[in-house]
């Protein structure tokens, strides 16, 4: 037998032989020195390694995902604790700066600290406490920074409500919508949701959006296609009904809900809703100040695991109607009605928040449309953030005191004032510790996500490589095994012109990647080539003594494994020639393991495992391959 299939080893002559100007007339296979080259075994070796690497990467990805899941649960827990310790209903105050058209008084009626506001009017000093006060110089970014944590909470499955409250002209719309240059909370929050969702590797998150307006107790769909109708008709036809399902989840019948796949789409719909709101009121005395505008983002969060449920949560961003006391300003007619409606719903909202804050048994949600809609988002599992806006003007002091009093009710119980100094310090310490734990967990999550991303990329690359390798490998076997004898002839023949090399190079381009030579194998091959060149003279004389390739030593190609071996043994030198960029002609020959080469090298090793080299380094390397090859037998 010429080739021992079990040994997976083939002795081939090296391409440099072709440079020895072998006469074309030389019919019988040219006896050449037998040089073992391990390039024939590298592909098998690499494929095995590829498979091993894939299975180890798959294991790592699973492990990382489970670690990420438990860290994510921990992060959720810690965040929830922080929000609960700070208070699930938080009230901030934002003081509007003086506008260019306004005159600054010598003694400003409103002064403020980091968490309190003091109003002086007619010799009376009133102080109000808040979770945070945003001064006149506070930017949109500063405000958003405080809102950000509860957005994370919305993504974690909690219903969240952000409300802008205050007298007309104090900056509610500026805080919620902002301008193109200074975007407000709503566009920033939507962007942040998309950002956060894109980094969530354990869940797939999708969003839908709805916008509506409550005016005089009627609900108007701001994203409806019917908005082309004139304002009055539209409001009449869009009086939507509020439904509560058995689980207590609130739904508004017929309200348009658009799927938003990215921030650009969400922004487009948001702007559309705002436009509809502002244009529909142009004939009605800027009544937009006397309506509430509600934007709802519904979050659908589904785990990657099989059978995992979809969690649904809502983020409400609400620009409330102006809170001024229209009844006391002598308003009449429609303005009076609007004022009544607004005051009713705002006071109902105040009652609900106060009841929740006091953890009172009964929460009066049914007293207004606004509180009915927000029933499932103002509850115990929800997070509420109210931003009270006040004016710095002297003329507005009365309204300022009213607005501040409204929120005083809302935060009467959990406020710091009710706590002793010791308890207050303890609470602050606990919050700091939790925040530290949160940062640490987030940092660990980030590292795991990075590694997970790397591992997934690596895994997908390796899988592609293995797939290509298999396909090409199978194709190669089919093509070449069809006519093995021709193949033998082809490899035995000495190409006459460079055209032949081009052809070879082209065909070798189809050689599977795992069959291409590695850096190490190319190095070994180069060393072997050098060795051959140095010995070319002695080789010439020796060749004559070599045994001719006999028919009894021909290959049996009925065995598929032998075919595979053959194919690999051919493909590799071809590719090596291509890689080297030299027009070398691979003049490969398959030699019998029993070739009489004893006269070349006196060695006890079987000929198939014999390596010729005078260089000790090469010998050492090749010895290693001898060992490896013998271990395959
Ligand atoms: N923090 C701020 N910085 C700069 N300008 C502000 C700020 N707050 C409000 N303004 C400006 O004050 C004016 C009134 O603000 P805005 O319209 O937002 O008030 P509003 O409370 O929403 O009024 P309405 O109830 O009528 O809708 C706007 O011109 C706005 O640009």
């Amino acid at each position: 037998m010429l080739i021992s299939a079990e040994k997976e080893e083939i002795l081939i002559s090296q391409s440099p032989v072709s440079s020895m100007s072998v006469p074309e007339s030389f019919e019988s296979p040219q006896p050449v020195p037998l040089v073992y080259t391990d390039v024939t075994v590298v592909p098998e070796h690499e494929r095995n390694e590829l498979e091993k690497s894939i299975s180890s990467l798959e294991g790592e990805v699973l492990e990382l995902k489970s670690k990420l899941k438990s860290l994510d649960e921990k992060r959720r827990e810690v965040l929830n604790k922080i929000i609960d310790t700070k208070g699930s209903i938080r009230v901030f105050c934002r003081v509007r700066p003086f506008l260019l058209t306004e005159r600054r008084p010598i003694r400003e009626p409103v002064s403020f600290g980091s968490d309190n506001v003091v109003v002086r009017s007619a010799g009376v000093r009133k102080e109000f406490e808040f979770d945070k006060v945003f001064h006149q110089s506070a930017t949109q970014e500063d405000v958003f920074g405080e809102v950000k944590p509860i957005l994370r909470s919305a993504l974690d499955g909690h219903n969240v409500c952000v409300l802008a409250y205050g007298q007309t002209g104090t900056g509610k719309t500026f805080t919620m919508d902002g301008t193109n240059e200074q975007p407000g909370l709503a566009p920033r929050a939507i962007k942040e949701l998309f950002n956060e969702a894109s980094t969530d590797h354990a869940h797939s998150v999708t969003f839908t959006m709805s916008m509506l307006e409550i005016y005089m107790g009627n609900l108007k769909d701001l994203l409806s296609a019917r908005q082309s109708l004139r304002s009055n008709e539209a409001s009449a036809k869009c009086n939507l009904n509020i439904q509560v399902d058995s689980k207590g989840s609130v739904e508004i019948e017929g309200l348009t809900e658009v799927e938003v796949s990215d921030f650009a789409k969400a922004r487009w719909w948001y702007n559309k809703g705002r436009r509809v709101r502002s244009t529909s009121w142009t004939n009605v005395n800027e009544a937009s100040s006397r309506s509430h505008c509600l934007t709802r983002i519904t979050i659908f969060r589904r785990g990657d695991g099989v059978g995992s449920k979809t969690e649904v949560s809502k983020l409400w961003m609400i620009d409330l109607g102006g809170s001024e006391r229209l009844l006391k300003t002598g308003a009449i007619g429609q303005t009076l009605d609007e004022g009544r409606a607004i005051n009713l719903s705002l006071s109902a909202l105040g009652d609900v928040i106060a009841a929740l804050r006091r953890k009172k048994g009964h929460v009066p949600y049914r007293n207004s449309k606004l509180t009915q809609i927000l029933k499932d988002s103002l509850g115990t599992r929800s997070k509420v953030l109210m931003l009270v806006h006040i004016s710095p003007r002297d003329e507005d002091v009365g309204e300022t005191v009213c607005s501040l009093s409204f929120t005083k009710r809302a935060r009467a119980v959990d406020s710091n004032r009710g706590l002793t100094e010791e308890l207050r310090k303890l609470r602050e310490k606990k919050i700091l510790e939790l925040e530290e734990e949160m940062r640490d967990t987030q940092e660990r999550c980030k590292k795991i996500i990075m590694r997970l991303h790397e591992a997934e990329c690596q895994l997908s690359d390796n899988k592609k490589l293995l797939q290509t390798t298999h396909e090409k490998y199978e194709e190669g076997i089919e093509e070449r095994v069809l006519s093995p004898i021709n193949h033998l002839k082809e490899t035995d023949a000495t190409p006459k012109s460079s055209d032949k090399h081009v052809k070879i190079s082209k065909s070798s381009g189809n050689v599977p990647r795992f069959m291409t030579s590695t850096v190490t194998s190319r190095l070994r091959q180069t060393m072997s080539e050098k060795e051959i060149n140095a010995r070319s003279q002695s080789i010439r004389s020796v060749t004559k003594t070599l045994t001719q390739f006999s028919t009894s030593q021909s290959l049996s190609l009925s065995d598929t494994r032998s075919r595979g071996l053959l194919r690999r043994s051919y493909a590799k030198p071809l590719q090596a020639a291509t890689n080297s960029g030299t027009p070398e002609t691979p003049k490969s020959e398959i030699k019998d393991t029993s070739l009489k080469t004893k006269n070349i090298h006196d060695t006890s090793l079987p000929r198939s495992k014999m390596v010729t080299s005078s260089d000790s380094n090469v010998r050492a390397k090749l010895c290693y391959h001898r060992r490896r090859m013998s271990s395959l037998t």
Side-chain angles (χ1 to χ4, degrees):
M1 197 53 199
L2 182 63
I3 289 179
S4 161
E6 304 85 60
K7 286 180 186 170
E8 294 204 2
E9 181 175 318
I10 300 165
L11 289 175
I12 56 168
S13 65
Q14 289 298 290
S15 51
V17 174
S18 62
S19 64
M20 295 184 338
S21 60
V22 180
E24 276 178 50
S25 56
F26 199 69
E27 292 276 317
S28 57
Q30 190 65 252
V32 288
L34 297 174
V35 178
Y36 166 78
T37 164
D38 68 326
V39 289
T40 54
V41 292
V42 170
E44 187 61 40
H45 172 69
E46 281 185 0
R47 204 170 61 179
N48 288 343
E49 285 201 345
L50 212 53
E51 280 165 351
K52 261 191 223 160
S53 149
I54 286 172
S55 80
S56 106
L57 280 168
E58 280 171 340
E60 191 185 351
V61 165
L62 277 180
E63 201 181 316
L64 287 170
K65 277 189 176 170
S66 114
K67 263 188 200 165
L68 195 61
K69 200 178 164 199
S70 58
L71 272 177
D72 191 52
E73 268 159 27
K74 188 181 169 191
R75 183 199 54 72
R76 281 169 78 161
E77 216 175 280
V78 176
L79 177 67
N80 217 24
K81 272 188 200 165
I82 292 174
I83 291 174
D84 286 346
T85 313
K86 284 182 173 177
S88 56
I89 301 174
R90 305 187 77 206
V91 186
F92 296 162
C93 179
R94 187 174 195 184
V95 188
R96 173 173 69 70
F98 283 99
L99 302 178
L100 288 174
T101 50
E102 291 170 351
R103 218 159 32 91
R104 210 179 179 120
I106 302 162
R107 272 195 78 184
E108 287 181 29
V110 182
S111 58
F112 29 81
S114 64
D115 60 0
N116 71 329
V117 177
V118 177
V119 186
R120 287 180 188 87
S121 168
V124 181
R125 182 185 181 275
K126 286 188 176 165
E127 190 176 345
F128 301 89
E129 227 181 84
F130 291 93
D131 291 294
K132 179 142 188 107
V133 174
F134 294 102
H135 297 187
Q136 286 150 310
S137 57
T139 61
Q140 302 279 63
E141 184 69 49
D142 295 336
V143 180
F144 181 65
E146 287 296 324
V147 177
K148 224 169 154 182
I150 64 165
L151 295 179
R152 187 60 255 184
S153 205
L155 278 166
D156 287 348
H158 296 278
N159 288 344
V160 168
C161 216
V162 182
L163 305 119
Y165 178 93
Q167 178 196 352
T168 296
T170 49
K172 298 183 296 293
T173 310
F174 182 81
T175 297
M176 296 309 284
D177 294 349
T179 58
N180 283 343
E181 299 75 38
Q182 299 174 71
L185 278 185
R188 283 172 196 264
I190 297 170
K191 196 173 194 174
E192 179 66 14
L193 289 180
F194 279 104
N195 282 349
E196 289 277 340
S198 70
T199 58
D200 191 340
H201 285 252
H203 303 89
S204 67
V205 187
T206 51
F207 304 100
T208 62
M209 186 174 176
S210 301
M211 281 177 90
L212 74 146
E213 186 174 45
I214 307 176
Y215 174 70
M216 304 263 285
N218 289 330
L219 311 186
K220 192 167 109 184
D221 188 346
L222 295 177
L223 300 185
S224 163
R226 288 193 292 173
Q227 286 311 326
S228 55
L229 294 168
R230 284 184 40 215
S231 60
N232 291 344
E233 290 171 75
S235 53
K237 291 193 181 184
C238 295
N239 200 6
L240 311 164
N241 287 322
I242 304 160
Q243 305 282 331
V244 182
D245 71 12
S246 55
K247 287 178 192 161
S249 182
V250 180
E251 203 34 78
I252 302 161
E253 217 176 40
L255 181 68
T256 307
E257 192 168 11
V258 290
E259 207 172 310
V260 283
S261 52
D262 55 40
F263 174 63
K265 282 199 183 83
R267 184 82 211 237
W268 187 88
W269 282 106
Y270 182 73
N271 288 340
K272 184 189 170 188
R274 280 174 59 194
R275 255 195 329 271
V276 169
R277 188 195 182 200
S278 58
T279 53
S280 64
W281 292 117
T282 44
N283 306 331
V284 204
N285 249 343
E286 297 241 336
S288 67
S289 301
R290 275 147 346 250
S291 69
H292 308 301
C293 178
L294 295 85
T295 304
R296 182 183 72 186
I297 305 287
T298 311
I299 303 159
F300 300 86
R301 188 169 178 261
R302 193 192 166 94
D304 280 347
V306 187
S308 50
K309 283 185 186 161
T310 303
E311 277 182 295
V312 183
S313 52
K314 298 174 195 172
L315 165 67
W316 284 103
M317 291 173 283
I318 303 163
D319 184 355
L320 292 168
S323 62
E324 54 276 3
R325 297 158 299 164
L326 289 164
L327 301 176
K328 291 185 186 173
T329 55
I332 49 159
Q334 186 167 355
T335 316
L336 180 66
D337 291 342
E338 286 167 0
R340 270 200 191 117
I342 283 289
N343 282 352
L344 244 167
S345 60
L346 288 179
S347 105
L349 177 69
D351 290 344
V352 166
I353 294 177
L356 288 169
R357 197 100 192 201
R358 290 188 187 119
K359 297 184 174 72
K360 250 170 81 172
H362 174 68
V363 184
Y365 290 110
R366 291 189 64 82
N367 290 353
S368 77
K369 287 271 168 77
L370 177 69
T371 48
Q372 280 176 42
I373 290 172
L374 299 179
K375 189 180 177 189
D376 60 351
S377 303
L378 290 174
T380 39
R381 278 197 72 246
S382 317
K383 316 288 168 199
V384 180
L385 188 67
M386 184 174 278
L387 278 146
V388 183
H389 294 76
I390 55 169
S391 154
R393 298 195 314 163
D394 231 351
E395 306 90 296
D396 293 328
V397 164
E399 287 301 332
T400 302
V401 171
C402 269
S403 295
L404 296 174
S405 302
F406 173 86
T407 51
K408 194 175 181 177
R409 238 177 104 217
R411 64 182 313 277
V413 174
D414 280 359
S415 69
N416 280 340
R417 182 156 292 192
L419 302 173
T420 62
E421 188 62 22
E422 201 181 334
L423 280 174
R424 192 196 277 226
K425 278 186 181 161
L426 264 175
R427 191 177 126 164
E428 275 163 17
K429 194 175 163 232
K430 194 183 171 194
I431 291 171
L432 283 177
E433 281 170 5
L434 287 167
E435 281 175 344
E436 180 61 39
E437 197 179 343
M438 178 81 177
R439 268 194 296 277
D440 178 58
T441 315
Q442 277 176 325
E443 206 50 49
R444 284 165 66 194
C445 276
K446 227 185 248 176
K447 280 182 189 158
I448 291 183
I449 288 168
M450 270 166 68
R451 178 59 208 138
L452 182 65
H453 186 65
E454 269 173 25
E456 280 176 338
C457 285
Q458 224 172 324
L459 182 63
S460 127
D461 281 355
N462 284 2
K463 277 184 175 172
K464 270 185 214 154
L465 188 59
L466 188 71
Q467 196 186 356
T468 320
T469 302
H470 270 303
E471 280 166 9
K472 303 244 173 177
Y473 177 66
E474 295 300 328
E475 276 170 24
I477 288 176
E478 299 242 324
E479 276 169 24
R480 290 182 182 269
V481 168
L482 278 176
S483 179
I485 302 302
N486 286 347
H487 193 174
L488 277 174
K489 278 182 191 164
E490 186 191 311
T491 49
D492 274 352
T494 306
K496 290 169 198 167
S497 70
S498 57
D499 290 356
K500 187 76 179 176
H501 302 308
V502 173
K503 201 175 168 192
I504 288 167
S505 299
K506 277 184 183 165
S507 67
S508 63
N510 290 328
V511 172
R513 215 173 129 187
F514 79 86
M515 288 183 174
T516 59
S517 53
T518 60
V519 174
T520 327
S521 67
R522 279 199 298 276
L523 184 71
R524 279 195 293 270
Q525 195 173 344
T526 313
M527 289 165 91
S528 303
E529 283 166 5
K530 278 184 191 164
E531 175 73 11
I532 292 163
N533 287 335
R535 291 172 157 258
S536 59
Q537 288 306 312
S538 61
I539 287 165
R540 280 177 182 280
S541 61
V542 169
T543 50
K544 289 175 186 169
T545 64
L546 289 171
T547 311
Q548 298 288 307
F549 191 75
S550 76
T551 45
S552 65
Q553 292 160 338
S554 63
L555 273 171
S556 162
L557 294 161
S558 57
D559 174 19
T560 40
R561 204 166 164 201
S562 308
R563 285 181 212 152
L565 285 166
L566 256 180
R567 194 240 170 263
R568 288 200 301 275
S569 70
Y570 296 149
K572 198 74 192 188
L574 295 183
Q575 183 64 33
T578 315
N579 288 346
S580 68
T582 53
E584 287 170 359
T585 307
K587 183 164 172 68
S588 309
E589 280 190 28
I590 301 164
K591 293 293 172 188
D592 186 0
T593 52
S594 63
L595 280 174
K596 295 170 192 167
T597 49
K598 273 214 176 226
N599 53 344
I600 305 173
H601 296 284
D602 190 15
T603 171
S604 55
L605 276 171
R607 296 307 312 151
S608 61
K609 293 173 184 171
M610 197 182 82
V611 175
T612 58
S613 174
S614 58
D615 183 310
S616 57
N617 284 336
V618 176
R619 271 204 305 272
K621 279 183 182 147
L622 295 174
C623 266
Y624 162 74
H625 288 289
R626 276 207 299 272
R627 276 203 305 279
R628 205 172 55 163
M629 296 316 300
S630 59
S631 68
L632 289 169
T633 58

